[in-house]
Amino acid sequence: MVLSPADKTNVKSTWDKIGGHAGEYGGEALERTFASFPTTKTYFPHFDLSHGSAQVKAHGKKVADALTNAVAHMDDLPGAMSALSDLHAYKLRVDPVNFKLLSHCLLVTLACHHPAEFTPAVHASLDKFFSAVSTVLTSKYR
Amino acid sequence: MVHFTAEEKAAVVSLWARVNVELVGGEVLGRLLVVYPWTQRFFDSFGNLSSESAIMGNPKVKAHGKKVLTSFGNAVKHMDDLKDTFAELSELHCDKLHVDPENFKLLGNMILIVLATHFSKEFTPQMQAAWQKLTTAVANALAHKYH
């Protein structure tokens, strides 16, 4: 699966549109993931996962910042995400199925906040982008 | 068997009452075919599916999307009895249509995303969770009779 030039344009313009809200959306996507897919909470036994949790907000910002970096380096995701790739493979070891769950909730979050921009084509590009990022993050698992 | 709380049922029913089934159905199926192009394999007879605009504007896509979502409305009415409600459709999808049940999950997620675009801030994490549960349960019910 390859990101076409049109996909990259769609992803970049979405991220420009999001502007300073990326961190907030990251937190919301996490909250949605925990609410819809309770099994994902097993990776955060050390977190307060209640609504408005400062830990979830902070973690959401971390995830969003990593995605912002990925957007800036779409031509070399493996290179740009190498350290995070190592982290997920050797330390966090989040089961690969969970990346799809978070990706889906990121899409829902964006759809809620930017319905007009979230056209089918943009939706498809973002889905591909999150899928590519997930693949890189799980690429060193075995 | 899936158990829905009173709150989950109320949330689903209240949102469903405001859904334009014809419009949303077309968007849901259209997005499935755009975002996951391999799902077009089931729709050779639908004519032009060559671009986003062709798909979203295709009258057969809209009509079939309406059909599918109308059937989903049955799920909202029978949330406590999904396996029986969808038993016949399950057999149909297996024996006649030969649809991999994975596709039911993909379609379910498209329903959620289209609801999100329509209802925006009202589509809270809790609302999403209730709908997520419903679409998963319907997907399972539709797969239940596969053999």
Side-chain angles (χ1 to χ4, degrees):
Chain A
M1 181 194 48
V2 173
L3 292 173
S4 69
D7 289 326
K8 291 179 190 177
T9 301
N10 285 340
V11 172
K12 285 204 167 100
S13 68
T14 298
W15 233 255
D16 286 341
K17 184 99 208 153
I18 288 172
H21 291 281
E24 174 202 330
Y25 294 172
E28 183 180 324
L30 280 174
E31 185 183 359
R32 286 180 182 278
T33 308
F34 297 140
S36 278
F37 308 108
T39 52
T40 57
K41 296 190 291 187
T42 56
Y43 292 96
F44 299 92
H46 53 302
F47 266 32
D48 162 23
L49 296 179
S50 58
H51 177 67
S53 153
Q55 284 176 308
V56 173
K57 281 189 186 160
H59 198 68
K61 179 154 193 328
K62 225 175 183 178
V63 169
D65 288 345
L67 287 170
T68 299
N69 186 46
V71 172
H73 295 93
M74 275 187 287
D75 292 330
D76 180 27
L77 287 176
M81 308 194 76
S82 183
L84 277 174
S85 203
D86 291 339
L87 181 75
H88 284 78
Y90 306 125
K91 185 143 178 275
L92 303 178
R93 291 168 293 184
V94 173
D95 190 286
V97 73
N98 295 284
F99 294 98
K100 281 193 189 180
L101 304 180
L102 178 63
S103 296
H104 169 66
C105 289
L106 279 161
L107 290 171
V108 170
T109 301
L110 292 173
C112 280
H113 287 277
H114 300 278
E117 285 78 24
F118 201 75
T119 62
V122 167
H123 170 179
S125 297
L126 285 164
D127 190 296
K128 279 172 82 172
F129 170 66
F130 293 143
S131 184
V133 168
S134 302
T135 297
V136 169
L137 288 176
T138 56
S139 61
K140 299 177 191 173
Y141 271 37
R142 55 177 171 172
Chain B
M1 204 189 78
V2 183
H3 172 72
F4 293 92
T5 64
E7 290 78 20
E8 284 167 340
K9 285 184 191 173
V12 166
V13 168
S14 73
L15 202 77
W16 185 252
R18 299 157 59 198
V19 168
N20 178 332
V21 172
E22 179 165 5
L23 180 70
V24 170
E27 283 179 35
V28 166
L29 186 61
R31 279 183 190 256
L32 183 75
L33 300 173
V34 169
V35 178
Y36 307 112
W38 55 91
T39 58
Q40 293 171 25
R41 70 189 298 284
F42 301 108
F43 302 105
D44 279 343
S45 64
F46 274 26
N48 187 3
L49 298 178
S50 61
S51 68
E52 178 201 9
S53 55
I55 291 170
M56 300 313 287
N58 185 310
K60 287 190 174 177
V61 171
K62 290 184 189 188
H64 196 67
K66 180 183 175 186
K67 196 178 183 181
V68 169
L69 207 68
T70 300
S71 178
F72 201 88
N74 220 14
V76 175
K77 290 201 192 92
H78 298 276
M79 287 167 75
D80 288 329
D81 187 32
L82 293 171
K83 291 219 161 71
D84 285 341
T85 302
F86 286 96
E88 266 186 56
L89 274 173
S90 182
E91 285 174 7
L92 178 80
H93 281 77
C94 175
D95 299 332
K96 296 271 174 338
L97 304 178
H98 311 292
V99 176
D100 179 345
E102 183 63 29
N103 292 285
F104 307 140
K105 294 184 198 169
L106 297 181
L107 188 83
N109 281 343
M110 293 300 99
I111 292 176
L112 284 150
I113 283 176
V114 174
L115 289 178
T117 62
H118 281 266
F119 293 103
S120 217
K121 303 265 158 55
E122 285 180 79
F123 201 65
T124 61
Q126 288 64 40
M127 182 64 85
Q128 179 191 347
W131 276 90
Q132 206 72 62
K133 212 166 152 181
L134 180 63
T135 53
T136 300
V138 170
N140 289 338
L142 278 171
H144 190 63
K145 292 284 192 183
Y146 272 60
H147 59 96

